[in-house]
Amino acid sequence: MRKVLIVGGGIAGPVLGMWLKRLGLEVSIIEARPTAAVGEGAFLGVAPNGMNALEPLGVAAAVAAAGSACESFQFINRKGEAIGSIDRSGDASAFGRPLTMIRRGQLNALLAEEAARQGVDIRWGQRLVAVDETHPSHVMARFEDGSEASADLLIGCDGLRSRVRSLILPDAPAPRFTGLLDYGGFAQGVQVPVPPGVNLMLFGRRAFFGAFVTPSGEIWWFHNGAPESPDLEALRKHSDPTRERERLLELHREDPPWVSDVIRATPKLLGPWPIYDLHAMPRWHSGRVCLLGDAAHAMSPSAGQGASLAMEDALVLAQCLRDIPTPAKAFAAFEKARRPRVDAIFRAARRNGSGKAVSGAVSEWFRDRLLPFFLRLGASGQSKMYSYRLEWNQSRA
Ligand SMILES: Cc1cc2nc3c(=O)[nH]c(=O)nc-3n(C[C@H](O)[C@H](O)[C@H](O)COP(=O)(O)OP(=O)(O)OC[C@H]3O[C@@H](n4cnc5c(N)ncnc54)[C@H](O)[C@@H]3O)c2cc1C
């Protein structure tokens, strides 16, 4: 085993690339995007467990420096009343790193840059279209431009809509729409009722709204709500930012006024992103090909763990390839090691996501009173996810 082709240079791809370089392998990443595109996408949180999976690669400090620490979550109802909170100010001392909020484009670019610096070959603007697994000694990949490449192993880090997955496991279940549509943006100059470092979560009258204020005063926000039409593809392809901004303003009309101010103050509305999840895959691998991150298991952002699980996956797959000489056995060991954790977090993400659904006045009344109790449980569940720590030296043999 010498040469590995990684399809996808988002989050899982570059992290896996760096680990495989540690094993002395020749690694190429094939990425469909034309460049690292620092300004792309909205933002996400890298949880302490994700940061810890990056630490031995020497990348966690750069992610921390480019992002901002989250000190707490505060939950408010549509009247702006506080209905609960989760204190996360002790995370850095408890887990090594805090939950780190970072722009997605910046995280992707930083990981790709670091992977390239560590010797990973990254080919931008190349899209995988076919995989040929019929050769016993290698796997062939074909790209949109007609070119081909062969490798000893091919790893699909190509996200929720993984082409690799559809090629190697054509009967795998399709991603499931969670019922939530996501928008987001970056705004400035609006007074949001929390200090920097707090993830403010609003259960609005007709939609959910989250806001995070960075130390420089920038407001990073997202909206989760039901789509206007069931035709999600049409919605994505023919999105009209002016009309959609109007729609978001209408959806938040009965919420605290700062929400509409933030939406109005956003120069560029980002989205819509229909939120999907993917579970119960029959397998994550076939022959010399394996899936990783969202390509194997995708969860709604409501647990804030998709990216961190992809980072953990990369470390564990590299351990398995280091310790188990046969690819098929290494892939099977990887899947076995990861499934229980992924499944548990998937269930938590679905639970959290369903709590964002809009409810009537009676259920709102109950929610406001029961939330503190559920948040206490949620906080300990979150701490359990955060405390998870992988050691590179652990043997997988
Ligand atoms: C709105 C939203 C908010 C989120 N917030 C959070 C959060 O706060 N915390 C968190 O942990 N997670 C969050 N997530 C989930 C997180 O983004 C994913 O779990 C994570 O990006 C998975 O990483 P990945 O590398 O597996 O896939 P991706 O990041 O999707 O990367 C896949 C890459 O593959 C490339 N690609 C695709 N097809 C091909 C092809 N055929 N050939 C070549 N390249 C290809 C793509 O261009 C892309 O760069 C969020 C997701 C969404 C949608």
Side-chain angles (χ1 to χ4, degrees):
M1 205 164 62
R2 196 174 55 84
K3 197 169 163 192
V4 182
L5 211 53
I6 295 175
V7 181
I11 293 173
V15 178
L16 178 67
M18 288 184 260
W19 283 116
L20 296 185
K21 284 310 287 182
R22 302 250 160 144
L23 305 185
L25 297 171
E26 198 182 307
V27 187
S28 293
I29 295 180
I30 304 301
E31 170 53 54
R33 287 179 287 126
T35 64
V38 180
E40 201 179 76
F43 63 96
L44 50 78
V46 183
N49 49 297
M51 295 294 277
N52 280 328
L54 294 180
E55 201 76 66
L57 292 169
V59 196
V63 174
S68 306
C70 167
E71 298 284 334
S72 73
F73 288 83
Q74 291 196 12
F75 296 82
I76 59 175
N77 64 17
R78 65 189 166 97
K79 295 179 195 148
E81 296 162 346
I83 50 174
S85 64
I86 300 178
D87 178 15
R88 302 260 44 126
S89 60
D91 286 355
S93 54
F95 309 124
R97 298 271 182 191
L99 166 63
T100 302
M101 308 303 292
I102 183 167
R103 286 180 179 239
R104 179 184 293 271
Q106 215 172 349
L107 176 65
N108 283 0
L110 192 153
L111 294 175
E113 229 168 71
E114 188 57 30
R117 205 186 59 77
Q118 297 190 18
V120 176
D121 163 45
I122 306 187
R123 303 184 198 162
W124 299 100
Q126 206 165 27
R127 181 177 291 278
L128 176 109
V129 291
V131 172
D132 180 354
E133 286 188 87
T134 56
H135 309 275
S137 62
H138 63 279
V139 53
M140 289 295 296
R142 202 171 70 245
F143 308 110
E144 205 171 38
D145 61 6
S147 61
E148 289 187 334
S150 79
D152 297 306
L153 303 177
L154 184 143
I155 315 292
C157 297
D158 50 344
L160 178 76
R161 299 282 166 198
S162 170
R163 177 80 180 195
V164 177
R165 183 178 69 234
S166 65
L167 291 166
I168 65 160
L169 300 169
D171 298 328
R176 184 202 71 126
F177 178 52
T178 61
L180 294 173
L181 198 61
D182 184 279
Y183 289 87
F186 303 104
Q188 261 168 342
V190 177
Q191 200 57 44
V192 172
V194 282
V198 177
N199 260 317
L200 182 59
M201 303 289 174
L202 162 74
F203 291 96
R205 173 74 188 81
R206 286 192 281 165
F208 192 86
F209 193 87
F212 178 79
V213 185
T214 67
S216 69
E218 198 173 33
I219 301 149
W220 297 3
W221 65 269
F222 70 90
H223 153 105
N224 282 171
E228 197 176 13
S229 137
D231 190 352
L232 300 171
E233 267 317 290
L235 190 75
R236 226 169 45 82
K237 279 192 186 138
H238 310 294
S239 84
D240 171 355
T242 310
R243 210 182 68 78
E244 278 155 60
R245 190 188 298 259
E246 288 308 317
R247 184 166 169 269
L248 292 193
L249 289 169
E250 175 54 26
L251 286 172
H252 290 289
R253 191 164 46 84
E254 294 171 63
D255 297 337
W258 60 263
V259 175
S260 298
D261 294 343
V262 168
I263 296 171
R264 282 196 197 90
T266 301
K268 187 178 175 208
L269 183 65
L270 303 172
W273 291 293
I275 303 287
Y276 289 86
D277 60 22
L278 173 73
H279 191 49
M281 286 271 293
R283 281 178 299 142
W284 294 355
H285 57 96
S286 159
R288 293 176 172 270
V289 184
C290 187
L291 304 170
L292 192 80
D294 274 17
H297 50 73
M299 49 202 72
S300 97
S302 302
Q305 282 285 338
S308 296
L309 287 178
M311 293 164 182
E312 291 178 4
D313 276 0
L315 192 158
V316 176
L317 179 58
Q319 285 175 323
C320 293
L321 290 170
R322 177 195 64 196
D323 298 340
I324 304 167
T326 323
K329 285 188 180 156
F331 293 158
F334 160 68
E335 182 180 333
K336 190 169 174 220
R338 294 297 292 157
R339 278 233 191 223
R341 175 157 172 83
V342 165
D343 290 350
I345 295 181
F346 180 88
R347 286 192 294 274
R350 274 215 176 154
R351 263 196 315 274
N352 295 356
S354 64
K356 288 176 174 173
V358 181
S359 41
V362 174
S363 35
E364 273 183 11
W365 188 89
F366 278 108
R367 183 209 49 221
D368 288 4
R369 275 142 198 87
L370 291 176
L371 192 72
F373 167 72
F374 285 115
L375 284 180
R376 270 197 295 282
L377 290 180
S380 70
Q382 205 174 42
S383 295
K384 203 168 153 211
M385 288 181 216
Y386 287 4
S387 65
Y388 188 78
R389 194 177 265 271
L390 289 162
E391 299 296 340
W392 173 238
N393 291 333
Q394 183 191 342
S395 169
R396 299 282 172 185

